Amino acid sequence: MTTRTDKDVEKILKSGGPSAAAAQFMRRYAQTGTARYLSEAAKLSTAFSGEPDLLNALVTNVSRALFVDASKLGADRIAKIRFGNLAAGYFACLDDTARRLDLAPVHNDSGAERVLIVAKQMLGHRHAPTLAVLEIARRLKVEAGAEVLVLDARDYPRGNALNLDRPFIANFREQEGRDAYTYQGVEIPVHYSGCGAYGRGLFQEWIDVAENFAPTVVLSQSSENFAGDLLSWRYPAVFIPSQQDEPLSRAHVVTDRFGQFGKSELRKRGHLPDAHVVRQCEYRLNAIPEKTEPKTKADLKVPEDGCVFVVAGNRLNEEIDDEFANMLADILRASPNAYLLICGTDSVRFASAFAGVAQRVRAMAFAADLRGLYDACNVYINPPRRGGGRTAFLAAVERLPVLTLPGGDVEGLIGAEHCLPDLAAMKTEAVALMQNPERAVEHRARMDALNKDVFSRRDATEKLLGLIAEAKDIAASTEAKRAAA
């Protein structure tokens, strides 16, 4: 039976070229929330295999929608859109670009490790992916004696190539070329890519930076990293995802931090060479910033015996839906000593949910020192979302109970066995934490164990060196087979 959506999809596809159709599908998805439109937009990725700027815009904006709307879309639909539709165009464009640039394997056997770390974008000490890159670089330099260079690939759209209504467009610093970043007393050399067009000139810059540095391995990070994947045609490559989902990557080794990929979706759908591996391991490097601005309950205008529940993130106006807001309000209604701190927005579109308890809600757009802010808090509550890993991690460092539903980065952080099945159970646990001090002691003990056994990961650098060695072996074996063919 042909539905209204089917007819609309057919009409859009006939009305113009792939770019116009992609923009229309993204517009319809934003208006209706119907996943079919997002899926159709992702299918058009194959039309952009020879147009990297359009492909980059589509992948970035579809991936963002999948991330933000994960709880609504569900894992199966996300897998179909990301690995079934989007991946086909992404890898076709990658292969086409590599052939146009005539990339061939290069092996640098210099003895000491020379690690080129490819970041999608470097934004500063408060940006979780930037912190992860800097922590990896620091520990490789200090603990392994490796030569390290960070390539800020600026691998994001530079303009609205697809003419979308609400596009994701990167805001790059004007700085370009070689510089250094001082992190925890260690100087990390960084090359900032140019801010010009997303195309051959930028790609050649990535290749030239790598060639001049002569890495023994390329280490990439994010959910997809075109620059890192392009360089994996030349050098052994390891990919460390910044989210729980399997990344779009053809690196020789991809790490599965939390054991959540299951069977590789990319391999199942024919996108991965047989030799490349998805390696489940407990490799984690968690950068813990210094506490610089500790807060007290008095700073929040909360009485000393108040119990402050904190929700933190930078997309809260998108992530806090009516159901979650109503649950938060119910927690406040359960006790006059309950307070809510929302850190990440001071323009709360869901304020109507807090009728009658609004005087016990605090909101702020930004906290320069999240660890310090948590000093004034008692419980961290995670909205139904894919992300939240960084804010939850710092809450765990400060020994706050962390309440979350299954799925997403926070589940990977605290373990599936400690997730709450639904919002009703989350409310029950939140109220119990106020009423039963022993319950809070149990949660803090769990956070202590995480800090001691997982977050410190004193063997993390050793594990990373093992992954690097494995990537080198796979790259050498693949090249030997190619040469013998």
Side-chain angles (χ1 to χ4, degrees), residues 136-150:
I136 291 169
R138 181 187 71 83
R139 293 183 69 163
L140 281 170
K141 284 194 73 171
V142 173
E143 298 174 12
E147 290 292 325
V148 173
L149 173 64
V150 174

Side-chain angles (χ1 to χ4, degrees), residues 110 193 325:
S110 61
S193 297

